[in-house]
């Protein structure tokens, strides 16, 4: 592995993976980026453990479960610049639609009332949900915010390019909540 | 009926002579505090006792207004040596009647030489606890309505305003706007009609100055309003009283009727061309209706919420007409100012704050109740002199003035004079007169949370900073008192305080952060103990033990 | 306050952000600023309705005045010096928007007004990329009892435009505000379901003045609800001409 490339990770918490799709939508620009960055950890690459230190981590999704919480804390510790990518990470967006309701009610609606077969609330394997799905920056420090549902490939490309130039991207004319 | 000067004198004389026929007068406090601890039963027992002993011709039992030390009620004043009995029950009646010709009942006696009475200067409360609030004749016998008479028969409106200006009186509702200036502005404003409003929507937690004045001496407020109306050219007045003050409302209604019957209110007052009618409007319990534009909206029958000022009510007020709004205590100061002259009033108090101020002294202090002190008295004299210090050998920690809009003042400022400027300089306000003393058992974060909760629930919801900002500030304080906050939350809290203070539409929002700002200024260590060490130094807050994801 | 005397209506000159501008005496700071292409953000304000000064986004600094003044209701005066865009004002405006986003459940991605929403645009214009105060996640309902319209309280910012347009323009006064503080809500009639309202004329003006997705037409999907407000300046103008 070459060490002079910028180490980039992407993480998928409670989100729909749309932001990752948008990331892939950069198409041929990905090839160009590949010269400058190394994707060290991502749902798109096969890497089980988060590396010791990453330059930039893009986080998709809200923090909704105990697992998400452990992950994001660990990632924060091992990341220089943490980026909230997309509305779920920035505002908790669609995952937050359960927040006005009690957790028991949400689980019961999903696993008991609306289940045709095998009505039971899972106790194992599936991580325990937090009382609320929350934006990433409420739990760890976030350095860059990229709103959008999802942010467009152009926006993501611009943000990454700016970061590669050592600048914090100014995105308010490029994207917005729900964009 | 038309009143002439000699009629007024006659009325006063008749009442004085009537009272002089009795050898003894026993006054029972019938204000809300003493009533709630059974003053009506004491009065009934006294009346029955007098009848039983056939002393009706010698002993007068009468109900009077507030005497001050409300926590010690029911209070009974007997003319021998001007003694005041505290915590009187109907069982004490025989002893009291027995003692009329001899020595006072020692066990019930309040020490007369106590600073509680010695240090007070009574202008607003001069009749409180002395006259029967339900009797116009009693008020007249105590020089009542003489000022109104003088004003309408001898003075021009300009002269009245000059006298008030000379007195240096400032609004007693809290902000301290010069009363004379306000009156002259309304007098100059042009409109088809003008109104005078008395703001009796007293809502600060722990404050009951206005209620007490209304219950103890309602005619004084009516007289002040009528004089103001004459000065500014108004012909209609509204008394906006909170519905939670039923006794005050009852006595005001009665007083208005009595005054109308005697020609002190209504058409052609005291035989002059000046007419002034007063009506009562009841507030439905919203704190924000104490804000003048919200109060006006409420009287007009609209939702009680404030509007941006300017234009001020002096120019565009009730029904769009120039309107004078003053607080109960401000109006209560007017008659004595006219009677004794503005210079007399200006000789009391400090350079910029004249006269006296009524405070409702409450909290961790020996003597709680209503007091009236000259401006410029120190906080130490009030709390340790009049108030008798902190009970149970505890240490003084802070005094809160100005209610939810005010701040907590720590020990190092106890020797500071009580006036508008000094209180503001240490981050509090004079306010309407609530004064809550706190000792070492009070947690300052908890106190700030209490007041923030009050503002949050009383926000009208019109402007965004107050509606939402108070909730966020409350939530942050709540987290702190549960040991769930982080140090960043403290910075956020300060940022929210700054924003809500500078961007809210009315005084409620603009001052809502004050209790937080002042406690952060003087007791920051307590906040930090809650956050860093998860400890409440005063032992008040219960720290959360459950697992928290934060 | 209606200016009646000639003195009040006299032409005034003032400075906004250092620029010399002229105005007639009865104009507000906001009107003069917009005439001169100086943008001041607003949310509760809508030309043609009585201004209420509630959202506090249009607060400006005026030299010599120690408090911030709402541009929508503050009238200009001679030699006034107005500043509309200081760092402090921008910060306060972002905080007002943050407050609104935390107050209720504004989830742009699934909103029928996505892309046509004033709150969303304001957040973008003011550079509010995220909300720093915790969301309140109030549980609020949707009233879809009216045959053509619905009200989603989760999207309401309590600007009271609906209340004012219904009262001042349509003359029905179906809408009003209920409760206080954080519990305040717009209601139809005496808090009856909209569909049962006997005062509602079904004109839809409230829907089209609503800045967000709180009041919408039925049958529109995400991002389809564009509001049409041309009627308001037109009606206002016609009424003014008739005197």
């Amino acid at each position: 592995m070459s060490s002079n490339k910028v180490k980039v990770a992407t993480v998928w918490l409670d989100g729909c993976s749309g932001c990752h799709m948008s990331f892939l939508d950069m198409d041929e620009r990905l090839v160009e980026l590949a010269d400058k960055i190394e994707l060290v950890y991502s749902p798109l690459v096969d890497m089980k453990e988060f590396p010791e230190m990453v330059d930039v981590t893009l986080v998709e999704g809200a923090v909704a479960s105990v697992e998400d919480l452990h992950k994001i804390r660990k990632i924060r510790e091992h990341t220089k610049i943490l980026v909230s990518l997309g509305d779920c990470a920035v505002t908790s967006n669609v995952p937050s639609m359960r927040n006005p309701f009690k957790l028991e009610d949400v689980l019961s609606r999903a696993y008991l009332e609306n289940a045709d077969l095998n009505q039971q609330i899972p106790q194992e394997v599936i991580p325990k949900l937090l009382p609320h799905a929350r934006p990433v920056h409420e739990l760890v420090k976030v350095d860059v915010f990229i709103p959008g549902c999802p942010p467009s490939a152009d926006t993501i490309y611009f943000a990454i390019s700016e970061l590669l130039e050592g600048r914090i991207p100014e995105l308010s004319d490029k994207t917005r909540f729900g964009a | 009926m038309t009143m002439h000067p000699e009629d007024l004198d006659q009325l006063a004389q008749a009442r004085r002579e009537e009272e002089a026929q009795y050898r003894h007068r026993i006054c029972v406090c019938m204000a809300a505090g003493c009533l709630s601890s059974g003053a009506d039963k004491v009065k009934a027992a006294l009346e029955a006792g007098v009848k039983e002993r056939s002393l009706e011709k010698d002993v007068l039992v009468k109900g009077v207004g507030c005497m001050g030390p409300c926590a010690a009620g029911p209070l009974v004043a007997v003319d021998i040596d001007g003694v005041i009995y505290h915590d009187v029950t109907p069982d004490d009646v025989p002893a009291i009647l027995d003692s009329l010709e001899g020595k006072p009942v020692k066990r019930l006696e309040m020490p007369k030489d106590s600073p509680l009475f010695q240090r007070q200067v009574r202008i607003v409360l001069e009749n409180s606890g002395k006259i029967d609030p339900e009797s116009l004749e009693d008020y007249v016998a105590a020089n009542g309505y003489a000022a109104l008479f003088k004003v309408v028969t001898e003075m021009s409106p300009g002269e009245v305003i000059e006298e008030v200006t000379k007195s240096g009186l400032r609004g007693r509702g809290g902000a301290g706007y010069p009363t004379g200036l306000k009156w002259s502005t309304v007098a100059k404003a042009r409109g088809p009609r003008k109104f005078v409003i008395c703001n009796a929507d007293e809502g600060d937690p722990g404050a009951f100055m206005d209620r007490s004045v209304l219950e103890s001496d309602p005619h004084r407020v009516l007289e002040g309003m009528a004089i103001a109306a004459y000065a500014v050219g108004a012909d209609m007045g509204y008394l906006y009283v909170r519905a939670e003050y039923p006794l005050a409302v009852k006595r005001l209604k009665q007083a208005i009727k009595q005054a109308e019957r005697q020609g002190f209110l209504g058409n052609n007052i005291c035989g002059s061309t000046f007419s002034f009618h007063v009506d009562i409007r009841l507030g439905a319990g919203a704190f924000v209706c104490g804000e003048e534009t919200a109060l006006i909206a409420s009287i007009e029958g609209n939702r009680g919420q404030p509007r941006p000022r300017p234009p001020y009510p002096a120019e565009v007020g009730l029904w769009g007409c120039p309107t004078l709004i003053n607080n109960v205590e401000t109006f209560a100061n007017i008659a004595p100012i006219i009677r004794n002259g503005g210079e007399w009033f200006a000789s009391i108090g400090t350079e910029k704050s004249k006269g006296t101020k009524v405070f409702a002294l409450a909290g961790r202090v020996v003597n709680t109740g209503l007091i009236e002190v000259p401006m410029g008295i120190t906080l130490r004299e009030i709390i340790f002199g009049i108030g008798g210090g902190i009970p149970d050998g505890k240490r003084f920690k802070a005094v809160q003035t100005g209610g939810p809009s005010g701040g907590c003042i720590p020990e190092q400022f106890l020797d500071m004079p009580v006036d508008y400027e000094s209180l503001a300089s240490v981050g509090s306000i004079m306010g309407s007169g609530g004064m809550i003393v706190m000792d070492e058992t009070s947690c300052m974060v908890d106190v700030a949370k209490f007041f923030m909760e009050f503002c949050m629930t009383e926000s009208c919801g019109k402007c965004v900073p107050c509606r939402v900002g108070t909730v966020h500030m409350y939530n942050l304080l709540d987290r702190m008192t549960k040991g769930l906050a982080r140090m960043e939350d403290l910075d956020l809290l300060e940022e929210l305080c700054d924003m809500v203070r500078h961007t809210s539409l009315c005084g409620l929002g603009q001052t809502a952060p004050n209790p937080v700002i002042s406690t952060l200024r003087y007791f920051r260590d307590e906040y930090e103990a809650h956050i860093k060490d998860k400890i409440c130094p005063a032992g008040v807050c219960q720290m959360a033990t459950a697992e928290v994801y934060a | 306050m209606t200016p009646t005397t000639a003195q009040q209506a006299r032409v005034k000159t003032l400075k906004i952000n250092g620029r010399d501008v002229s105005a007639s005496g009865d104009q507000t700071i906001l009107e003069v600023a917009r005439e001169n292409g100086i943008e001041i953000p607003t949310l509760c304000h809508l030309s043609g309705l009585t201004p209420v000064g509630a959202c506090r986004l249009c607060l400006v600094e005026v030299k010599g005045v120690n408090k911030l003044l709402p541009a929508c209701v503050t009238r200009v005066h001679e030699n006034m010096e107005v500043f509309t865009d200081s760092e402090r004002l921008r910060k306060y405006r972002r905080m007002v928007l943050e407050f609104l986003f935390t107050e209720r459940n504004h989830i742009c991605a699934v909103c029928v007004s996505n892309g046509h929403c004033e709150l969303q645009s304001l957040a973008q214009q003011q550079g509010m990329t995220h909300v720093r105060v915790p969301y309140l996640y109030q549980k609020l309902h949707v009233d879809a009892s009216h045959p053509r319209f619905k009200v989603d309280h989760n999207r309401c910012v309590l600007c009271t435009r609906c209340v004012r347009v219904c009262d001042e323009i349509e003359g029905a006064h179906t809408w009003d505000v209920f409760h206080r503080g954080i519990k305040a809500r717009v209601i139809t009639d005496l808090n009856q379901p909209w569909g049962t309202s006997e005062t509602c004329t079904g004109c839809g003006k409230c829907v089209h003045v609503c800045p967000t997705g709180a009041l919408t037409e039925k049958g529109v999907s995400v991002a389809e609800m564009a509001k049409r407000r041309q009627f308001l300046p037109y009606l206002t103008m016609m009424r003014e001409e008739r005197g």
Side-chain angles (χ1 to χ4, degrees):
Chain A
M1 279 192 192
S2 65
S3 56
N4 52 2
K5 282 190 188 175
V6 175
K7 290 191 174 68
V8 174
T10 74
V11 197
W12 177 16
L13 303 178
D14 192 3
C16 69
S17 91
C19 296
H20 275 85
M21 295 300 121
S22 204
F23 182 87
L24 292 176
D25 267 350
M26 285 193 282
D27 300 334
E28 74 284 359
R29 285 172 290 188
L30 285 167
V31 182
E32 176 204 321
L33 281 178
D35 291 338
K36 298 175 190 155
I37 67 172
E38 184 187 348
L39 200 58
V40 292
Y41 179 91
S42 169
L44 309 167
V45 298
D46 188 17
M47 181 66 75
K48 299 287 180 242
E49 281 299 309
F50 198 83
E52 184 50 38
M53 192 44 78
V54 171
D55 296 307
V56 177
T57 301
L58 307 174
V59 188
E60 173 190 343
V63 181
S65 69
V66 176
E67 190 199 15
D68 293 342
L69 184 62
H70 290 164
K71 247 191 203 168
I72 198 66
R73 283 186 174 150
K74 188 170 176 193
I75 289 166
R76 175 69 266 187
E77 262 177 52
H78 300 275
T79 298
K80 286 181 191 154
I81 295 176
L82 191 68
V83 181
S84 273
L85 177 66
D87 280 353
C88 293
V90 176
T91 73
S92 80
N93 202 25
V94 174
S96 76
M97 290 173 81
R98 73 166 164 92
N99 291 354
F101 303 91
K102 282 193 197 126
L103 189 55
E104 310 91 87
D105 296 346
V106 172
L107 290 169
S108 136
R109 177 63 65 92
Y111 291 103
L112 304 177
E113 292 163 44
N114 288 343
D116 296 327
L117 292 169
N118 200 13
Q119 295 173 329
Q120 61 170 340
I121 293 173
Q123 304 293 330
E124 289 166 27
V125 185
I126 294 181
K128 205 172 160 235
L129 288 182
L130 298 177
H132 287 152
R134 298 172 68 183
V136 173
H137 66 267
E138 283 191 11
L139 300 147
V140 296
K141 185 175 175 288
V142 170
D143 306 296
V144 179
F145 297 87
I146 311 181
C149 186
S152 68
D154 290 349
T155 303
I156 300 174
Y157 178 73
F158 174 78
I160 294 176
S161 306
E162 288 287 287
L163 286 169
L164 287 174
E165 294 294 324
R167 293 190 288 262
I168 293 293
E170 170 49 52
L171 296 162
S172 54
D173 57 338
K174 302 225 156 22
T175 186
R176 54 167 164 76
F177 299 133
Chain B
M1 121 175 207
T2 308
M3 263 277 168
H4 295 286
E6 45 285 10
D7 299 334
L8 187 70
D9 285 344
Q10 213 169 29
L11 198 65
Q13 203 50 44
R15 171 48 59 109
R16 285 182 200 129
E17 279 166 14
E18 198 183 314
E19 291 230 342
Q21 287 170 7
Y22 295 98
R23 286 177 46 218
H24 298 292
R25 291 183 310 149
I26 303 177
C27 298
V28 185
C29 171
M30 297 294 277
C34 287
L35 271 182
S36 67
S37 49
D40 49 345
K41 293 197 185 78
V42 172
K43 183 166 175 255
L46 279 164
E47 279 161 349
V50 167
K51 206 168 173 195
E52 207 173 282
R53 300 179 187 207
S54 306
L55 293 170
E56 292 105 319
K57 287 221 169 72
D58 295 324
V59 180
L60 171 70
V61 176
K62 74 182 211 175
V64 296
C66 181
M67 299 181 193
C70 305
L75 298 166
V76 173
V78 180
D79 53 3
I80 39 159
D81 298 336
V83 69
I84 294 180
Y85 295 134
H86 63 92
D87 296 295
V88 180
T89 65
D91 297 340
D92 297 323
V93 166
I96 292 173
L97 293 178
D98 289 345
S99 73
L100 282 177
E101 302 297 335
K103 283 200 157 41
V105 187
K106 259 280 149 318
R107 66 184 167 90
L108 297 172
E109 205 179 342
M110 288 197 100
K112 242 187 319 173
D113 52 353
S114 115
L116 172 62
F117 300 107
Q118 299 291 318
R119 291 289 309 162
Q120 296 201 39
V121 173
R122 295 188 152 221
I123 296 174
V124 171
L125 303 177
E126 60 181 341
N127 294 337
S128 287
K130 294 193 177 127
I131 65 162
D132 179 356
E134 304 193 1
S135 158
L136 177 131
E137 289 77 12
D138 254 28
Y139 181 63
V140 170
N143 294 322
Y145 287 115
L148 176 63
F149 219 107
K150 181 174 165 190
V151 161
V152 296
T153 54
E154 293 170 25
M155 294 170 83
S156 72
E159 285 167 345
V160 177
I161 292 172
E162 203 189 310
E163 207 59 45
V164 174
T165 307
K166 222 191 285 169
S167 76
L169 177 65
R170 294 169 65 174
R172 297 293 193 243
Y177 192 80
T179 306
L181 184 58
K182 200 185 239 184
W183 286 26
S184 70
T185 313
V186 180
K188 281 181 192 131
R190 268 176 293 179
R193 242 188 129 174
K194 290 181 192 176
F195 295 97
V196 168
I197 296 176
C198 175
N199 184 348
D201 193 51
E202 184 176 52
D204 289 6
F208 53 94
M209 301 75 56
D210 296 348
R211 192 198 71 205
S212 184
V213 171
L214 296 173
E215 283 175 359
S216 307
D217 202 2
H219 284 288
R220 158 181 298 265
V221 180
L222 296 178
E223 187 177 4
M225 284 178 76
I227 293 170
Y230 178 78
V232 303
D235 64 349
M236 182 71 211
Y238 289 95
L239 258 153
Y240 190 88
V241 196
R242 43 192 319 215
E244 293 91 331
Y245 286 177
L247 186 61
V249 172
K250 183 186 142 214
R251 289 190 179 155
L252 277 170
K253 278 186 180 159
Q254 207 172 2
I256 291 171
K257 226 178 250 170
Q258 291 167 345
E260 279 171 351
R261 204 174 298 139
Q262 294 288 2
F264 295 121
L265 288 178
N267 291 330
N268 303 99
I269 290 172
C270 306
S272 73
T273 55
F274 168 59
S275 300
F276 180 61
H277 298 262
V278 177
D279 221 337
I280 294 176
R281 287 290 176 274
L282 297 187
F287 178 67
V288 75
C289 286
E291 197 280 343
E292 56 184 18
T293 58
L295 188 151
I296 287 173
S298 177
I299 293 181
E300 288 173 349
N302 295 321
R303 184 177 159 85
Q305 54 183 28
R307 60 155 176 83
R309 300 177 305 179
Y312 288 88
E315 219 178 331
V316 183
L318 189 60
W319 321 113
C321 299
T323 302
L324 174 77
I325 302 195
N326 276 137
N327 157 274
V328 171
E329 196 182 327
T330 313
F331 281 127
N333 271 303
I334 298 301
I337 287 174
I338 299 296
R339 260 191 275 124
N340 306 321
E343 273 159 26
W344 160 80
F345 191 83
S347 69
I348 306 162
T350 66
E351 193 200 332
K352 285 182 174 167
S353 304
K354 302 297 187 190
T356 59
K357 180 77 195 84
V358 182
F359 286 104
L361 193 58
R364 302 290 294 164
V365 62
V366 173
N367 302 318
T368 57
L370 207 67
I371 59 165
E372 183 172 356
V373 290
M375 294 277 190
I377 191 173
T378 66
L379 285 165
R380 191 182 297 281
E381 282 175 277
I382 294 181
I383 296 162
F384 289 92
I386 298 172
I390 314 297
D392 308 328
K394 294 277 196 293
R395 260 181 69 87
F396 170 86
K397 188 175 203 172
V399 56
Q400 213 276 352
T401 66
S405 312
C408 294
I409 303 169
E411 192 166 9
Q412 69 250 43
F413 300 115
L414 274 182
D415 292 308
M416 193 186 72
V418 171
D419 61 54
Y420 291 97
E421 279 72 24
S422 304
L423 288 170
S425 73
V426 298
S428 189
I429 58 165
M430 175 73 77
S432 59
M435 193 176 269
I436 302 170
V437 181
M438 290 171 275
D439 67 11
E440 56 199 299
T441 61
S442 295
C443 165
M444 302 316 281
V445 186
D446 188 58
V447 167
K449 183 175 109 171
F450 169 82
F451 284 111
M452 191 55 74
E453 183 176 14
F454 182 84
C455 291
M456 171 178 81
T457 40
E458 292 297 342
S459 166
C460 78
K462 178 174 179 174
C463 77
V464 181
C466 176
R467 181 178 78 228
V468 189
T470 52
V471 178
H472 284 308
M473 290 190 285
Y474 172 79
N475 286 350
L476 284 172
L477 290 164
D478 187 52
R479 292 173 63 81
M480 288 171 190
T481 56
K482 289 182 175 141
L484 298 175
R486 298 172 291 187
M487 280 307 282
E488 302 94 272
D489 291 336
L490 207 51
D491 301 333
L492 182 61
L493 180 64
E494 286 189 295
E495 212 180 308
L496 294 179
C497 285
D498 170 71
M499 184 267 189
V500 173
R501 178 189 218 176
H502 291 109
T503 59
S504 290
L505 193 157
C506 82
L508 198 165
Q510 287 160 9
T511 59
N514 283 355
V516 182
I517 294 171
S518 75
T519 47
L520 267 172
R521 187 157 148 194
Y522 302 118
F523 302 96
R524 202 183 182 89
D525 53 329
E526 283 195 40
Y527 281 84
E528 290 182 357
H530 282 79
I531 299 169
K532 284 185 188 156
D533 311 328
K534 318 268 177 234
I535 289 169
C536 174
V540 174
C541 305
Q542 288 286 316
M543 298 294 157
T545 47
E547 188 182 4
V548 182
Y549 304 101
Chain C
M1 208 182 11
T2 42
T4 44
T5 62
Q7 197 194 4
Q8 274 176 301
R10 206 180 279 165
V11 174
K12 309 269 160 103
T13 55
L14 61 149
K15 273 195 168 78
I16 304 183
N17 298 341
R19 253 177 72 188
D20 288 306
V21 294
S22 65
S24 70
D26 58 346
Q27 280 187 301
T28 62
I29 296 174
L30 182 67
E31 285 166 347
V32 178
R34 292 203 167 156
E35 260 176 30
N36 288 280
I38 299 164
E39 192 42 51
I40 299 174
T42 55
L43 182 61
C44 63
H45 178 267
L46 190 61
S47 192
L49 301 179
T50 307
V52 287
C55 73
R56 316 308 281 170
L57 282 170
C58 71
L59 287 181
V60 294
E61 291 167 353
V62 174
K63 196 175 169 186
V65 179
N66 60 7
K67 53 182 199 174
L68 304 174
L69 297 173
C72 64
V73 292
T74 307
R75 298 196 186 270
V76 295
H77 56 75
E78 187 64 29
N79 291 332
M80 197 179 209
E81 281 188 55
V82 182
F83 302 92
T84 69
D85 199 30
S86 68
E87 187 44 56
R88 177 175 175 230
L89 290 173
R90 283 199 294 267
K91 180 181 146 192
Y92 287 159
R93 285 170 188 158
R94 280 196 299 271
M95 287 178 83
V96 165
L97 293 167
E98 286 181 67
F99 281 4
L100 287 171
F101 273 96
T102 58
E103 186 185 14
R104 299 193 177 187
N105 305 300
H106 297 279
I107 301 168
C108 302
V110 293
C111 179
V112 289
S113 286
N114 190 1
H116 311 286
C117 170
E118 292 181 42
L119 181 65
Q120 186 185 33
S121 310
L122 279 164
Q124 188 178 19
Q125 282 164 22
Q126 301 300 315
M128 194 214 87
T129 58
H130 66 290
V131 173
R132 298 165 309 146
V133 275
Y135 290 84
L136 299 177
Y137 302 124
Q138 290 200 76
K139 194 171 168 183
L140 296 157
H141 69 273
V142 178
D143 177 0
S145 60
H146 192 278
R148 288 164 51 216
F149 311 121
K150 60 182 189 301
V151 52
D152 182 352
H153 294 285
N154 292 289
R155 315 289 199 208
C156 176
V157 291
L158 290 171
C159 67
T160 69
R161 284 185 190 178
C162 54
V163 177
R164 285 174 283 155
V165 81
C166 188
D167 178 42
E168 297 169 12
I169 306 293
E170 180 63 6
H173 201 126
T174 301
W175 289 102
D176 213 319
V177 180
F178 161 84
H179 224 299
R180 68 172 177 240
I182 197 73
K183 291 179 181 160
R185 244 181 335 111
V186 290
I187 51 163
T188 41
D189 288 351
L190 294 170
N191 199 20
Q192 314 298 309
W194 193 358
T196 67
S197 167
E198 291 183 355
T199 59
C200 176
T201 60
C203 72
K205 290 187 179 70
C206 52
V207 170
H208 288 278
V209 298
C210 175
T212 69
L215 290 170
T216 54
E217 286 169 352
K218 283 185 169 176
V220 292
S221 185
V222 168
E224 285 182 354
M225 183 69 223
K227 308 275 171 104
R228 299 180 301 276
R229 309 220 164 100
Q230 302 85 330
F231 72 90
L232 191 57
Y234 174 74
L235 282 179
T236 314
M237 191 179 74
M238 292 303 283
R239 287 183 185 186
E240 274 168 9
E241 277 180 10
R242 280 194 207 163

